[in-house]
Amino acid sequence: MVSVKAIIAVCIVALFVGMAEVKSDSYSNSPCEVILYKEFCDFKKTIQTKKRSDCIKARNDLLTATGTCVADNSVLLSFRGIQYIKLFRSYCKGIAFPQDKCNKVSDCLQIAFGKFGKKLFCNMKNLANQCYERAKKTCSVADQYQDVLINRAFPAVCTSNKKFHTIKRPVLPSCSHH
């Protein structure tokens, strides 16, 4: 006989998967950088609890929401991505981001953007690219991050003798109303 706990567990998983599919469908035609903007306050509110389960939920919800998106503005996407990583690392210590076995992806972005994540350092392209090559050995999504940053964002802003690129506007919303 099936236990009540088993039935409840199956229902919870089905509910989570259903909610994740709805969230994913609601962004089906949105560029990745738009999704990151719209999801930021919910993501931040969830991880601020510092609970492992909330951190994993926020990470998984974000992966679902951005799973099939395409970047319209790879530079803006990269700047938003580094802010997510910095925030996640500050509240969710010891949990891989953007998914299990992918902490090196965060390290690669950190190489490109430096300590504060406000500037894309043009001279760090090769080091960041080498980092992604290592990350691809354990992380199935590393090549997607590598493509956005190395093949699209760097060439878009690192021209001639430019040392770095700074984004001019806030990249993510203020969440004071949450």
Side-chain angles (χ1 to χ4, degrees):
M1 185 163 266
V2 179
S3 75
V4 173
K5 286 182 182 178
I7 293 170
I8 292 171
V10 169
C11 290
I12 289 171
V13 169
L15 178 65
F16 174 74
V17 169
M19 286 171 31
E21 287 176 358
V22 168
K23 185 171 256 190
S24 180
D25 289 345
S26 68
Y27 292 126
S28 60
N29 294 320
S30 296
C32 298
E33 59 276 15
V34 171
I35 295 169
L36 288 183
Y37 190 88
K38 290 178 178 178
E39 288 293 310
F40 183 71
C41 291
D42 286 341
F43 179 84
K44 183 176 181 180
K45 183 179 177 184
T46 303
I47 66 170
Q48 282 179 323
T49 66
K50 296 184 180 181
K51 293 180 184 172
R52 181 173 179 76
S53 59
D54 288 345
C55 289
I56 291 171
K57 179 192 181 319
R59 181 189 73 180
N60 291 344
D61 286 353
L62 185 64
L63 277 174
T64 300
T66 58
T68 59
C69 67
V70 177
D72 276 352
N73 183 335
S74 56
V75 176
L76 183 57
L77 176 60
S78 296
F79 272 94
R80 286 185 178 160
I82 191 65
Q83 296 308 315
Y84 265 85
I85 286 169
K86 289 174 69 48
L87 187 70
F88 191 85
R89 281 184 164 181
S90 69
Y91 287 106
C92 302
K93 302 203 183 308
I95 301 172
F97 188 86
Q99 65 187 34
D100 289 337
K101 300 181 182 174
C102 286
N103 259 350
K104 283 189 177 125
V105 168
S106 300
D107 297 338
C108 301
L109 271 168
Q110 196 81 44
I111 288 169
F113 285 92
K115 185 177 180 181
F116 302 108
K118 303 285 184 196
K119 296 177 181 178
L120 178 62
F121 291 96
C122 297
N123 65 335
M124 300 307 277
K125 179 181 178 183
N126 289 339
L127 260 175
N129 192 46
Q130 290 169 8
C131 180
Y132 279 117
E133 290 301 321
R134 289 188 302 275
K136 288 195 285 189
K137 294 174 184 172
T138 58
C139 178
S140 63
V141 297
D143 58 336
Q144 296 164 332
Y145 284 80
Q146 181 182 32
D147 180 56
V148 168
L149 184 65
I150 303 298
N151 299 331
R152 295 195 267 160
F154 269 112
V157 297
C158 293
T159 54
S160 64
N161 292 330
K162 197 170 184 182
K163 294 189 187 309
F164 60 85
H165 177 76
T166 306
I167 197 124
K168 302 287 187 251
R169 59 184 185 268
V171 291
L172 291 166
S174 168
C175 302
S176 57
H177 62 279
H178 281 257

